[in-house]
């Protein structure tokens, strides 16, 4: 596929505008961030599969653009802004404007060739928003529960209880919609059944994996661990041997995996035995938790890749 890529596109995403730069022609244009503006960009881009489009992850701002570019068949990569920033510093680029950023992103695309996202699922955006909304509601429920402690006012307690009851109903409604959406798609339904067969994996983890890690089953265990942010990195220099630590990755996914591991250490015989062995070796709690997250993710990655249900004999 890389042999056919002849153009490299950098798009700087702002709330109201999109700045585009196409190399090697050095074509530049600014458009409004709207459906009309995205259509202008699609007309400006080279032929499908001949260009690599790179945008920075900017929270939720880039989602509509990435979704429409991927749906049109273009090769799109979403990269960490930190990587582009460090790349710019290495080139001695200190000035910062949207126009400069777009050109820098295009240069980054040309030199680094970042991994493109998988083909966009037609219901991916809807499922992602549902999972995100559930996470927000759970955070609100936790905050309200914490506020309820040590209260003496009956009226305040009553208010908090009403809010908590409403949040519980909202969370259950969102979870029902997530289940219905997953079951409505054969591919998601098959993958979710495989994931559900793993002891310790439930609705939240399965839905998060489907939305935050669509590469599951397509990469090897080291690559998938790096994407999730549970791969240990060395920190050595000369005779110095630093502590290995995880870095980067997809934070929402990592948080979900951590919660899944808390359950898996009690209910999953493979993860429990693995954690007990590390504990006997004197490993710290955090090291054991991250190692279990990495092992659990590797197991699920292999299961999806081979389309096989959980079987502890073959793990």
């Amino acid at each position: 596929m890389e042999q056919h890529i002849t153009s490299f596109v950098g798009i700087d995403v702002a709330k109201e505008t999109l700045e585009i730069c196409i190399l090697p022609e050095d074509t530049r244009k600014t458009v409004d961030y709207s459906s009309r503006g995205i259509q202008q960009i699609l007309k400006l881009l080279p032929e499908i599969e001949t260009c690599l489009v790179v945008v920075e992850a900017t929270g939720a701002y880039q989602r509509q653009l990435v979704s429409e570019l991927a749906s049109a068949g273009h090769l799109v990569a979403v990269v960490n802004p930190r990587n582009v920033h460090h790349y710019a510093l290495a080139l001695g680029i200190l000035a910062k404007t949207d126009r400069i950023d777009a050109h820098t992103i295009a240069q980054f695309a040309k030199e680094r060739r970042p991994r493109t996202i998988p083909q966009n699922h037609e219901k991916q955006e809807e499922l992602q928003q549902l999972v995100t909304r559930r996470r927000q509601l759970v955070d609100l429920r936790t905050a309200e529960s914490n506020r309820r402690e040590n209260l003496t006012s009956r009226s305040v307690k009553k208010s908090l209880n009403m809010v908590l009851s409403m949040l519980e109903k909202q969370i259950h409604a969102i979870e029902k919609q997530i289940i219905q959406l997953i079951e409505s798609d054969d591919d998601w339904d098959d993958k979710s059944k495989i994931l559900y067969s793993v002891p310790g994996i439930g609705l939240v983890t399965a839905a998060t994996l489907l939305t935050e890690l669509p590469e599951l089953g397509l990469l090897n265990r080291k690559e998938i661990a790096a994407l999730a942010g549970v791969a240990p990195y060395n920190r050595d220099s000369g005779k110095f041997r630093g502590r290995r630590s995880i870095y980067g990755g997809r934070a929402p996914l990592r948080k979900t995996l951590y919660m899944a591991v808390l359950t898996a250490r009690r209910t999953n015989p493979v993860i429990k035995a693995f954690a007990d062995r590390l504990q006997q070796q004197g490993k710290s709690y955090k090291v054991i938790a991250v190692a279990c997250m990495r092992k659990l993710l590797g197991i699920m990655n292999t299961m999806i890749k081979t389309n096989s249900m959980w079987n502890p004999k073959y793990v």
Side-chain angles (χ1 to χ4, degrees):
M1 183 66 72
E2 288 191 2
Q3 297 175 354
H4 301 290
I5 298 177
T6 56
S7 300
F8 302 90
V9 183
I11 302 179
D12 184 72
V13 181
K15 184 177 182 179
E16 298 179 350
T17 60
L18 297 171
E19 185 75 37
I20 181 171
C21 175
I22 304 176
L23 297 178
E25 300 87 352
D26 200 17
T27 303
R28 307 191 187 202
K29 188 176 180 63
T30 304
V31 300
D32 294 334
Y33 195 168
S34 61
S35 298
R36 181 180 177 184
I38 294 175
Q39 290 303 315
Q40 289 179 281
I41 289 180
L42 289 172
K43 293 179 181 179
L44 193 63
L45 291 177
E47 293 183 11
I48 293 173
E49 296 187 355
T50 65
C51 68
L52 173 62
V53 184
V54 176
V55 301
E56 294 178 320
T58 55
Y61 286 146
Q62 86 285 351
R63 288 181 181 173
Q64 181 185 355
L65 174 65
V66 171
S67 177
E68 296 204 27
L69 289 173
S71 297
H74 286 286
L75 301 173
V76 186
V78 181
V79 300
N80 192 321
R82 186 195 306 115
N83 296 340
V84 178
H85 174 66
H86 290 169
Y87 175 79
L89 292 179
L91 295 179
I93 301 174
L94 303 180
K96 178 175 174 58
T97 65
D98 291 346
R99 193 176 179 86
I100 293 174
D101 288 348
H103 185 263
T104 303
I105 295 171
Q107 285 184 293
F108 180 85
K110 182 179 180 180
E111 296 293 333
R112 301 304 303 166
R113 306 280 183 106
R115 180 189 292 112
T116 58
I117 63 172
Q119 186 175 6
N120 195 37
H121 193 287
E122 59 180 1
K123 300 178 182 177
Q124 189 81 25
E125 182 67 21
E126 184 179 358
L127 182 60
Q128 188 169 32
Q129 290 186 19
L130 286 171
V131 171
T132 301
R133 184 55 184 160
R134 184 195 176 278
R135 187 184 304 124
Q136 294 168 348
L137 291 172
V138 170
D139 290 341
L140 287 172
R141 182 181 63 182
T142 302
E144 290 293 84
S145 297
N146 292 338
R147 295 188 185 100
R148 190 170 57 177
E149 295 181 4
N150 302 321
L151 286 177
T152 56
S153 172
R154 290 185 177 180
S155 59
V156 175
K157 284 184 177 180
K158 183 178 180 181
S159 174
L160 282 171
N161 289 333
M162 290 175 63
V163 172
L164 285 170
S165 177
M166 181 270 294
L167 290 173
E168 287 289 349
K169 292 179 181 178
Q170 287 287 315
I171 291 171
H172 289 317
I174 292 289
E175 289 177 346
K176 187 176 180 179
Q177 292 178 54
I178 290 173
I179 293 173
Q180 290 175 347
L181 188 59
I182 291 175
E183 291 178 346
S184 68
D185 183 87
D186 291 339
D187 182 49
W188 278 349
D189 191 38
D190 292 340
K191 287 182 178 179
S192 65
K193 288 177 180 177
I194 293 174
L195 296 173
Y196 289 154
S197 69
V198 181
I201 300 300
L203 168 66
V204 176
T205 306
T208 304
L209 286 168
L210 291 175
T211 56
E212 301 287 349
L213 198 62
E215 299 90 348
L216 192 68
L218 303 176
L219 305 176
N220 62 45
R221 61 184 181 84
K222 292 183 179 180
E223 291 172 330
I224 210 72
L227 279 181
V230 292
Y233 292 101
N234 298 348
R235 189 172 178 270
D236 302 334
S237 179
K239 295 182 179 180
F240 173 76
R241 294 293 179 268
R243 179 180 294 179
R244 275 55 177 159
S245 59
I246 59 175
Y247 187 77
R250 301 171 184 176
L253 173 63
R254 190 165 56 251
K255 292 177 183 178
T256 303
L257 282 174
Y258 174 75
M259 298 305 295
V261 160
L262 294 181
T263 303
R265 288 188 64 175
R266 301 193 311 269
T267 62
N268 191 310
V270 174
I271 299 301
K272 185 178 185 303
F274 179 65
D276 291 343
R277 186 166 69 252
L278 292 178
Q279 190 171 14
Q280 292 173 1
Q281 295 174 2
K283 303 296 183 181
S284 67
Y285 175 82
K286 287 186 177 181
V287 170
I288 296 173
V290 173
C292 289
M293 290 160 64
R294 187 166 59 252
K295 187 174 183 66
L296 182 62
L297 183 61
I299 291 171
M300 292 187 291
N301 185 58
T302 301
M303 289 173 62
I304 295 294
K305 184 180 295 185
T306 59
N307 195 31
S308 56
M309 293 291 186
W310 168 263
N311 189 335
K313 296 180 179 179
Y314 302 125
V315 175

